[in-house]
């Protein structure tokens, strides 16, 4: 069996509004409601609605032989309900076909697996519940951690929660001579299967598709199928993992990205011996070839495939440490607003905005940020966190009275 596994990440953070020092103690509403709504509607019209319609058409056209999977963060689901119920309905229609798999992740796309096992488990269970509520009792069996962050110990935590597989990056420094095009198992809990992203083929679509300076531009379905046909016959699965916003948002419709996806399934089925599978089908049908050892966490980001996009400088480390120092106080509180804000403030994007890597060159990190620079992102976040700390202390005092 040779198969292609398409996985798309759907995520929108609750972006913070400009929050000044003088707002601390006065304003407890931290979120840029106007901006979040506008961005959601823009991405809905450019990506979610047209791409969901295309996928539904392809699934029906190919009578279920074409399959994909999604991980939709809780913050995206919350904003669908608030600002884009039509988008939520379109995802629900896709899942009802029976040919679209949903994955679990941390509810707010958080980095808690790196800091708190208790909070990690809580976040995952909250996401499980949300998926079940919105998708007719759907229960995912495969996990995808925030930013594809993975290590042996994170895999062990995921296995404890009962998942049968996890998705992560096929980073060169952990693979060595091995290929990402096989199924592996966690080094500590071999019952947990590990699916590795083929980052070269994934990034050809997600990042290089419209890059006219790329030697292989333009990317056609014939060219892409030719590449996968050149892979050794024993390599059984090609994991194509990418942000869903690749379609229409990062790669504009004018680039031809929708046409590429429209014709890709037919080209694969006609000119290769590959099928399409969901992650759960992959791990059920393809036996693992061995353990994959990941002692230090990896991610999808940058050439290093490490954590430095989120936790690579003093700004990020300071914000991250101050946030999780509050965990015990938060757990002791039964205030729903405190609990909600605690979750939302853990979203990985807040730390990504503080990234100073290659800042002077204005690289991909700045593309996603609503701030002028990483230092502004840090100051704004810490002002919000200062107010949150005051609210926590007030709740603690009230509880003692």
């Amino acid at each position: 069996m040779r198969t292609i596994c398409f996985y798309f990440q759907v995520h929108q953070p609750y972006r913070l509004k400009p929050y000044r020092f003088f707002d601390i103690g006065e304003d407890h509403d931290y979120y840029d409601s106007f901006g979040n709504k506008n961005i959601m509607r823009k991405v809905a019209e450019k990506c979610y609605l047209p791409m969901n319609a295309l996928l539904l058409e392809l699934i029906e056209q190919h009578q279920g032989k074409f399959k994909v999977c999604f991980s939709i963060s809780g913050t995206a689901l919350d904003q669908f309900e608030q600002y884009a119920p039509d988008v939520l309905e379109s995802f629900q229609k896709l899942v009802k076909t029976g040919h679209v798999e949903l994955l679990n992740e941390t509810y707010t796309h958080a980095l808690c697996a790196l800091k708190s096992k208790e909070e990690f488990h809580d976040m995952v269970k909250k996401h499980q519940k949300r998926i079940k509520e919105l998708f007719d009792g759907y229960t995912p069996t495969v996990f995808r951690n925030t930013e594809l962050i993975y290590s042996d110990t994170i895999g062990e935590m995921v296995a404890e929660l009962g998942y049968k597989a996890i998705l992560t990056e096929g980073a060169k420094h952990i693979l060595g001579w091995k290929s990402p095009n096989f199924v592996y198992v966690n080094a500590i809990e071999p019952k947990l299967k590990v699916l590795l992203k083929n980052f070269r083929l994934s990034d050809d679509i997600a990042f290089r598709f419209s890059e006219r300076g790329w030697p292989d531009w333009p990317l056609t379905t014939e060219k892409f199928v030719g590449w996968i046909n050149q892979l050794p016959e024993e390599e059984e699965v090609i994991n194509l993992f990418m942000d869903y916003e690749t379609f229409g948002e990062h790669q504009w419709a004018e680039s031809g990205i929708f046409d590429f996806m429209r014709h890709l399934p037919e080209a694969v089925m006609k000119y290769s011996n590959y099928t399409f599978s969901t992650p759960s089908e992959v791990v059920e049908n393809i036996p693992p070839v061995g353990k994959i050892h990941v002692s230090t966490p990896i991610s999808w980001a940058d050439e290093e495939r490490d954590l430095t996009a989120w936790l690579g400088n003093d700004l990020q480390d300071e914000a991250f440490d101050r946030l999780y120092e509050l965990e015990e106080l938060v757990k002791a509180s039964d205030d729903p607003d405190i609990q909600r804000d605690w979750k939302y403030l853990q979203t990985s994007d807040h730390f990504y905005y503080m990234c100073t890597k290659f800042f002077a060159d204005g690289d991909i990190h700045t593309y996603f940020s609503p701030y002028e620079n990483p230092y502004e992102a840090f100051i704004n976040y810490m002002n919000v966190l200062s107010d949150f700390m005051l609210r926590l202390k007030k709740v603690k005092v009230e509880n003692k009275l």
Side-chain angles (χ1 to χ4, degrees), residues 95-114:
V95 174
K96 284 179 180 178
T97 66
H99 303 293
V100 172
E101 181 171 1
L102 294 178
L103 307 184
N104 269 141
E105 62 166 274
T106 59
Y107 190 84
T108 62
H109 206 70
L111 303 174
C112 48
L114 302 170

Side-chain angles (χ1 to χ4, degrees), residues 346-369:
Q346 293 182 56
T347 300
S348 66
D349 302 66
H350 301 311
F351 305 97
Y352 194 74
Y353 301 150
M354 302 175 199
C355 182
T356 53
K357 294 172 67 176
F358 318 117
F359 173 63
D361 299 325
D363 78 328
I364 189 171
H365 296 283
T366 62
Y367 172 83
F368 296 103
S369 178

Side-chain angles (χ1 to χ4, degrees), residues 92 96 131-139:
Q92 290 167 334
K96 284 179 180 178
I131 293 292
K132 188 173 288 189
E133 290 171 348
L134 295 176
F135 294 93
D136 293 330
Y138 192 101
T139 303

Side-chain angles (χ1 to χ4, degrees), residues 19-142:
Y19 195 90
R20 304 168 304 161
F21 174 79
F22 299 103
D23 293 324
I24 299 171
E26 303 293 329
D27 183 2
H28 307 320
D29 178 12
Y30 307 140
Y31 310 105
D32 182 4
S33 299
F34 180 79
N36 288 325
K37 180 179 180 179
N38 280 355
I39 290 171
M40 174 56 72
R41 287 311 318 177
K42 182 190 76 166
V43 180
E45 299 301 328
K46 293 179 69 175
C47 170
Y48 300 146
L49 292 173
M51 192 59 183
N52 282 2
L54 175 58
L55 291 182
L56 185 61
E57 176 188 325
L58 290 172
I59 289 169
E60 293 173 347
Q61 175 186 338
H62 296 288
Q63 300 179 327
K65 293 181 180 178
F66 179 65
K67 306 170 184 181
V68 300
C69 112
F70 291 100
S71 184
I72 310 175
S73 71
T75 53
L77 292 170
D78 289 349
Q79 291 184 75
F80 290 162
E81 282 200 312
Q82 283 182 278
Y83 310 129
D86 49 343
V87 171
L88 178 58
E89 183 181 351
S90 68
F91 277 110
Q92 290 167 334
K93 285 182 179 178
L94 280 172
V95 174
K96 284 179 180 178
T97 66
H99 303 293
V100 172
E101 181 171 1
L102 294 178
L103 307 184
N104 269 141
E105 62 166 274
T106 59
Y107 190 84
T108 62
H109 206 70
L111 303 174
C112 48
L114 302 170
K115 200 72 169 179
S116 169
K117 182 176 180 179
E118 180 183 354
E119 179 63 12
F120 176 69
H121 282 194
D122 187 56
M123 278 273 201
V124 175
K125 290 173 183 176
K126 184 175 175 64
H127 192 254
Q128 286 175 339
K129 182 180 178 182
R130 195 76 166 114
I131 293 292
K132 188 173 288 189
E133 290 171 348
L134 295 176
F135 294 93
D136 293 330
Y138 192 101
T139 303
T141 60
V142 176

Side-chain angles (χ1 to χ4, degrees), residues 105-117 119-120 123 144-149 154 157 297-300 306-312 316-317 319-320 323-324 343-352 381:
E105 62 166 274
T106 59
Y107 190 84
T108 62
H109 206 70
L111 303 174
C112 48
L114 302 170
K115 200 72 169 179
S116 169
K117 182 176 180 179
E119 179 63 12
F120 176 69
M123 278 273 201
R144 182 269 191 194
N145 195 28
T146 306
E147 313 296 1
L148 292 180
I149 292 172
I154 290 173
M157 290 194 296
I298 58 173
S299 76
W300 67 266
D306 60 12
L307 303 181
T308 53
W310 304 274
L311 300 173
Q316 295 165 314
D317 292 343
F320 192 67
L323 176 67
Y324 282 96
K343 301 295 187 193
Y344 286 167
L345 288 173
Q346 293 182 56
T347 300
S348 66
D349 302 66
H350 301 311
F351 305 97
Y352 194 74
Y381 183 86

